Amino acid sequence: MTAPTQFPVRTRILHWLTALLVFSMLFIGFVMVNSLGSYAALRGIHMTLGVTVLVIVVARTANRLTHRVPRLPDTVGWLEHKVVVGSELTLYALLLAQPLVGWAMVSAAGQSVMVLGSLHLPRIAPFDANLYFILRQTHSLIAYALVAVIAAHVSAVLLHTLTLRDGMLSRMAFALRRKDAPANAASSPTQEPVDMQAAVHERADADPDPGRHRRSSSNR
Ligand code: HEM
Ligand code: HEM
């Protein structure tokens, strides 16, 4: 069995920053629309954090398009590989769409988005009640879709890490491998960062099925 390799540090930082912000955004969003007293304050925080998510996800998309993704552990079969790639692309699409829909929705309501309570962003949609209604529904739908896809994503990572013990979580973790753990143990809970480019090339050389390697690295 091949030991999994880690994502580059910048990818891991962007991943956990996005995760923290998106969990906060979902929580604030659902609380905000059900709260009377703190609606205005939460709406301000929600818009500022939402624009921050947009900036980070654009940076993350550029990062994803310019680096090679480490190959998945051998415990991930052909079909599951397709599902993993599909779900990660879906997450990217939802994370890009949601802040833009939020921004357009506020614009369609005839208001401008305020960042940090003072910086007014330009309106990106015309003032239109019908358009506002459609975008408002879309914002809710995307929020529920995000909850579902993130739940599936986290469940899959935990299933692999805790049940199959293939070190899936360590691909995105910061912890170092235990000193007493064997260097190539696929079931090791954590592992040291490795040079991704070198690891990918090394695997490409040793891979008996180069077609599978291409799917597993640059095309993911
Ligand atoms: C809002 C929450 C989250 C979002 C939006 C999210 C999104 C993503 C995306 C887009 C990727 C693909 C990697 C890339 O190309 O950048 C990924 C990978 C990963 N995520 Fe998350 N994630 C979230 C939460 C979590 C949590 C809570 C965990 C831990 C249980 C986790 C563990 C992982 C791991 C281990 C990978 C690497 C999977 C692989 O090897 O392909 N994620 N995540
Ligand atoms: C990843 C980013 C975002 C997430 C996850 C998110 C999530 C949510 C959620 C869950 C709700 C409550 C929906 C409902 O219960 O029907 C909501 C409402 C709302 N969101 Fe977002 N949102 C994001 C970005 C934005 C952005 C960038 C803006 C504006 C700049 C925005 C503006 C709003 C507004 C104004 C509401 C309340 C609408 C109302 O009072 O009827 N959101 N959001």
Side-chain angles (χ1 to χ4, degrees), residues 25 29-30 32-33 39 46 50 98-99 102 105 113 136 139-140 143:
M25 287 301 290
F30 288 128
M32 172 176 80
V33 292
Y39 176 82
H46 188 82
Q98 183 69 333
M105 170 177 88
V113 168
R136 180 67 187 83
H139 202 63
S140 290

Side-chain angles (χ1 to χ4, degrees), residues 18 21-34 39 42-44 46-54 57 94-107 109 111-115 121 132 136-137 139-144 146-147 150:
T18 319
L21 282 170
V22 172
F23 281 130
S24 312
M25 287 301 290
L26 289 168
F27 179 75
I28 294 172
F30 288 128
V31 169
M32 172 176 80
V33 292
N34 292 299
Y39 176 82
L42 289 175
R43 194 173 186 270
H46 188 82
M47 289 199 281
T48 300
L49 289 184
V51 173
T52 311
V53 170
L54 179 60
V57 175
L94 294 175
L95 291 176
L96 280 172
Q98 183 69 333
L100 289 174
V101 170
W103 186 351
M105 170 177 88
V106 174
S107 306
Q111 298 157 357
S112 61
V113 168
M114 266 213 286
V115 177
L121 298 188
Y132 170 80
R136 180 67 187 83
Q137 299 294 322
H139 202 63
S140 290
L141 271 178
I142 297 180
Y144 287 114
L146 269 172
V147 171
I150 290 168

Side-chain angles (χ1 to χ4, degrees), residues 3 18-19 22 29 32 47 57 64 68 71 83 88 90 103 108 112 120 126 132 146 151 163 185 188 191 198:
T18 319
V22 172
M32 172 176 80
M47 289 199 281
V57 175
R64 168 82 187 223
R68 301 180 75 167
R71 185 179 159 173
V83 175
E88 289 178 357
T90 306
W103 186 351
S112 61
H120 289 257
Y132 170 80
L146 269 172
T163 312
S188 163
Q191 59 185 149

